[in-house]
Amino acid sequence: MSIHRTCMAFGSLALVLLANCAPSSDSSDNHWPELTSSIPVDADLEEHITSLLAQMSLEQKIGQMTQPEIQYITPDEVRDYHIGSVLNGGGSFPGGAKYSSVADWLALADAIYDASMDTSTGGLAIPVIWGTDAVHGHNNVIGATLFPHNIGLGAMRNPDLIERIGEITALEVATTGIDWDFAPTLAVVRDDRWGRTYEGYSEDPEIVRDYAGRMITGLQGQVGTGQFLDASRVVATAKHFVGDGGTDGGVDRGDNLSTEQQLVGIHAQGYFPAFEAGAQTVMASFNSWNGQKMHGNPYLLTEILKGRLGFDGFVIGDWNGHGEVPGCTNESCAQAVIAGVDMIMVPEDWKAIIENTIAQVRAGEIAESRVDDAVRRILRVKIRAGLFEKGRPSSRPHAGDMSLVGAPEHRAVAREAVRQSLVLLKNDGGLLPLARDLDVLVAGDGADNIGKQSGGWTISWQGTENTNADFPGAASIFAGIEAAVSSAGGHTTISEDGSFTGQPDVAIVVFGENPYAEMMGDLETLSFCAENSESLAMLRQLKSQDIPVVSVFLSGRPRWVNAELNASTAFVAAWLPGTEGAGVADVLFRDTVGQVNHDFTGKLSFSWPNAPMQTPLNRGDSIYEPLFPYGFGLTYNDTDSLGDDLPELECPS
Ligand code: BGC
Ligand code: BGC
């Protein structure tokens, strides 16, 4: 039993972890720290909940435990079925209208809220709680500020900025009357073939731990102060509990084969600071742990999470995640409730699950005490979030305030995050930083494409089918370059395919992955050239024309890009920067008097592979031979010796 190893490997940790290092008094010696809620038990509040519970029918209790999706339910049904919560999924909008305004979102929030408070068909008035995936800003809403995806934020190593991003996200969400954000993702991502790699801050628990609590505080406000869940804040979600980033082969919704010690020491590390910061909800993960689906795992959801870790908020299921438990369907799953899921995310089949769950309680299959515990937790969070007092969504302080959505000061923070997230991998001969008064060719299909630079979970679920017109107020990477260069007498030519008439001084080629999200984004290998030979051909073509090439690589994870590196003079990993593409030019170009404007400060939060199948590849591996290690990132003071003779293996010649 090597408790010692855990302590050494994760030696410099916050308090909570020290509990993990202390000899365990628990005979099961399961490595989990023993925590208590950072919000003290409030006897009056608990008594209030007891009295509410006493007035609720079984139907109303099960309604509280049910979360349909807005496309599949009307406000009248929210009232009639005593629905406790709704969500909007990725790419779902009020009335199905992509261009819904803030006022449209707010009107739907009002309608659903009014329905939840309407007792004309019986029951108690209990305010509904609406959840959304604001995972890099309020990304379902047109005109919102979109931050770099978490992988880019991981490269910043800046917990203060993380908290500020959480605060801004909460405020923009609050304008639409939505109460709850399904963020942050605390996955510690071990195999970069996973299509959700970019939703994680890092492959290493260190950064996830440093960020988790700060993001929760940004979203919810500081626990124990008046700002906690005030009108500017929203309820946060620590997700996906637990082990989502550690599935075998990086398969989405796959099986995590970790030992319990690895589960605690790697995958659960973000949760401890999240609870310290008062995270009010936890989303159960789609993945299995050693063959058992998390939605059906009473040991981890109840004994560990709600017992040992002292979590007193509620557990939300993931999108029909209950239906993946053996023996369950989307319409029926006593096992998930018994295991500890308190609220079931059941987008479409909510009527059936309500009916079946009620029957399962009546038949004694689900204990009534379990239902009471689930509803108690839901009501506790609703009360703490002030939902009983905040009133109609449109009556709340920031509701409908258009000036906050995509506000200039919010965009400035996002642009700062973009600058800090960029990682310089190569800079032969000190090509960067560039002077502004050059003739600059800007090429590649990512150069003037805000959808591509924003990735998945951007207006639509997969981030596809967006055009620049869908991002009012945003800047493409090209727009930022053009503004910098033209301000100093230089000249830009935008040319997606890299063709030109007059020989430019330099080419900036913006290329990389096209948007994807969960399910669609998994890969077989990390090779980029194998499926994207046109980008490589363009880089080589420019190089053969004696044009210095700056590659700006957009991606949701490290990819094997040896050939692209060889064909580039300078190479920047830009991740998925979001709407403030001008942050790229801020760093690539000198200021107007020729000095370094902003240096590179970003450092890899993921190890970069030196072969297509070099995955899993993580700091601390016994054999660790990445191309660029965790923590790598050049600055303008470094002289780079990468050269252009990296092995190109399977790339087209
Ligand atoms: C929804 C997403 C959801 C996904 C799960 C999509 O249709 O829009 O929000 O995560 O389905 O399968
Ligand atoms: C995803 C979650 C998300 C939910 C709602 C699921 O498919 O795994 O991260 O919060 O859908 O859109």
Side-chain angles (χ1 to χ4, degrees):
M1 198 66 357
S2 39
I3 290 182
H4 251 76
R5 276 231 316 273
T6 315
C7 296
M8 276 159 57
F10 308 105
S12 62
L13 303 188
L15 241 149
V16 273
L17 285 182
L18 295 177
N20 194 27
C21 296
S24 171
S25 55
D26 183 333
S27 57
S28 68
D29 198 11
N30 60 20
H31 313 289
W32 295 91
E34 202 161 339
L35 308 177
T36 46
S37 170
S38 54
I39 307 175
V41 177
D42 175 341
D44 292 344
L45 183 150
E46 297 303 323
E47 214 171 288
H48 178 46
I49 297 174
T50 305
S51 82
L52 291 174
L53 280 170
Q55 300 167 64
M56 290 168 75
S57 64
L58 182 59
E59 285 76 5
Q60 188 161 15
K61 290 177 185 172
I62 304 302
Q64 284 298 308
M65 295 170 64
T66 306
Q67 184 185 63
E69 208 278 346
I70 58 167
Q71 295 173 63
Y72 303 107
I73 189 159
T74 63
D76 282 349
E77 289 170 326
V78 168
R79 178 197 59 212
D80 294 347
Y81 290 84
H82 314 290
I83 295 298
S85 178
V86 297
L87 87 149
N88 64 295
S92 172
F93 317 96
K98 174 171 175 173
Y99 300 104
S100 289
S101 64
V102 169
D104 296 330
W105 286 92
L106 198 52
L108 182 58
D110 271 351
I112 292 172
Y113 172 87
D114 289 346
S116 73
M117 301 303 281
D118 179 350
T119 54
S120 62
T121 57
L124 266 188
I126 297 175
V128 71
I129 182 168
W130 178 343
T132 193
D133 292 288
V135 300
H136 62 140
H138 199 8
N139 47 62
N140 293 285
V141 174
I142 300 283
T145 307
L146 301 194
F147 297 92
H149 268 298
N150 287 346
I151 193 169
L153 302 184
M156 303 188 311
R157 306 289 204 282
N158 188 341
D160 292 340
L161 198 52
I162 287 293
E163 183 171 331
R164 183 77 187 109
I165 289 170
E167 230 175 285
I168 291 170
T169 302
L171 197 53
E172 295 204 12
V173 170
T175 67
T176 50
I178 297 176
D179 319 284
W180 177 17
D181 187 5
F182 302 136
T185 293
L186 302 178
V188 178
V189 182
R190 306 298 280 179
D191 190 324
D192 305 351
R193 286 174 295 181
W194 189 36
R196 305 189 78 166
T197 298
Y198 66 81
E199 296 186 56
Y201 297 121
S202 179
E203 71 185 24
D204 195 283
E206 173 184 61
I207 297 173
V208 181
R209 211 162 41 221
D210 286 350
Y211 280 8
R214 300 298 296 274
M215 182 51 98
I216 299 284
T217 299
L219 289 167
Q220 298 191 343
Q222 184 77 45
V223 117
T225 71
Q227 65 173 213
F228 186 65
L229 292 170
D230 71 8
S232 308
R233 312 289 175 148
V234 296
V235 173
T237 311
K239 80 182 188 184
H240 311 79
F241 190 81
V242 60
D244 49 352
T247 61
D248 193 32
V251 172
D252 195 33
R253 307 185 175 194
D255 194 7
N256 185 318
L257 303 175
S258 296
T259 62
E260 188 158 10
Q261 186 174 359
Q262 291 165 327
L263 205 62
V264 179
I266 299 173
H267 300 288
Q269 286 289 310
Y271 290 87
F272 312 139
F275 296 148
E276 227 180 342
Q280 288 297 291
T281 74
V282 167
M283 188 181 290
S285 189
F286 277 124
N287 67 271
S288 304
W289 180 44
N290 289 307
Q292 187 181 5
K293 279 281 169 188
M294 276 305 306
H295 283 246
N297 191 320
Y299 171 65
L300 290 173
L301 292 184
T302 299
E303 194 175 327
I304 296 300
L305 176 61
K306 296 175 180 173
R308 191 151 171 123
L309 302 181
F311 175 65
D312 65 0
F314 71 85
V315 175
I316 173 75
D318 202 346
W319 185 283
N320 283 330
H322 58 280
E324 298 190 4
V325 175
C328 290
T329 62
N330 293 348
E331 297 89 37
S332 175
C333 191
Q335 290 94 313
V337 177
I338 293 167
V341 174
D342 299 307
M343 183 185 280
I344 300 184
M345 188 187 290
V346 53
E348 198 171 351
D349 302 305
W350 55 271
K351 278 187 190 163
I353 210 147
I354 288 176
E355 196 180 311
N356 288 320
T357 308
I358 290 172
Q360 286 151 354
V361 177
R362 295 231 158 95
E365 204 182 327
I366 300 173
E368 272 196 71
S369 57
R370 175 73 267 274
V371 170
D372 284 346
D373 171 58
V375 178
R376 173 175 294 277
R377 288 167 175 276
I378 293 165
L379 294 177
R380 187 182 289 140
V381 172
K382 287 184 173 182
I383 294 170
R384 283 177 178 165
L387 297 183
F388 285 84
E389 287 109 49
K390 279 178 175 165
R392 287 187 98 203
S394 62
S395 73
R396 301 176 193 171
H398 306 296
D401 186 348
M402 277 300 297
S403 72
L404 293 174
V405 179
E409 43 310 355
H410 297 177
R411 293 187 185 278
V413 172
R415 184 166 168 172
E416 174 70 35
V418 173
R419 290 196 285 264
Q420 295 189 22
S421 69
L422 304 174
V423 182
L424 181 61
L425 298 180
K426 177 175 182 176
N427 191 17
D428 253 11
L431 173 64
L432 298 176
L434 300 167
R436 292 187 180 217
D437 57 352
L438 300 177
D439 195 337
V440 183
L441 178 72
V442 187
D445 65 359
D448 195 22
N449 189 334
I450 301 170
K452 181 158 174 150
Q453 79 193 27
S454 298
W457 297 106
T458 297
I459 309 179
S460 63
W461 177 39
Q462 295 290 320
T464 49
E465 285 160 53
N466 295 318
T467 69
N468 283 359
D470 295 337
F471 300 93
S476 70
I477 292 172
F478 168 69
I481 294 171
E482 162 61 19
V485 169
S486 66
S487 72
H491 180 258
T492 58
T493 306
I494 176 91
S495 159
E496 196 170 307
D497 67 1
S499 59
F500 55 85
T501 43
Q503 176 94 355
D505 297 316
V506 65
I508 299 176
V509 184
V510 188
F511 67 102
E513 295 184 337
N514 288 317
Y516 55 81
E518 46 170 345
M519 302 172 87
M520 316 301 180
D522 288 3
L523 291 173
E524 301 276 319
T525 91
L526 295 178
S527 173
F528 184 74
C529 63
E531 282 165 15
N532 299 280
S533 55
E534 341 70 55
S535 305
L536 180 56
M538 190 193 310
L539 299 175
R540 284 175 173 161
Q541 169 80 17
L542 292 164
K543 187 180 183 192
S544 74
Q545 289 163 305
D546 290 324
I547 300 165
V549 174
V550 179
S551 282
V552 175
F553 186 58
L554 298 172
S555 72
R557 54 197 151 194
R559 297 290 299 258
W560 180 69
V561 288
N562 280 13
E564 290 83 356
L565 280 158
N566 285 341
S568 307
T569 322
F571 194 104
V572 177
W575 316 111
L576 300 167
T579 52
E580 304 319 304
V584 175
D586 288 345
V587 182
L588 296 188
F589 287 89
R590 294 177 183 275
D591 66 15
T592 46
V593 292
Q595 300 300 307
V596 169
N597 189 29
H598 292 275
D599 201 347
F600 282 90
T601 56
K603 306 291 174 202
L604 294 178
S605 62
F606 283 79
S607 307
W608 200 283
N610 196 13
M613 282 303 282
Q614 196 182 24
T615 181
L617 172 68
N618 298 299
R619 176 165 86 142
D621 290 352
S622 54
I623 300 171
Y624 184 61
E625 294 167 345
L627 180 60
F628 302 112
Y630 176 92
F632 183 86
L634 299 170
T635 71
Y636 287 143
N637 292 320
D638 294 312
T639 30
D640 168 31
S641 56
L642 193 61
D644 59 2
D645 52 8
L646 297 171
E648 300 194 358
L649 301 167
E650 56 184 38
C651 290
S653 52

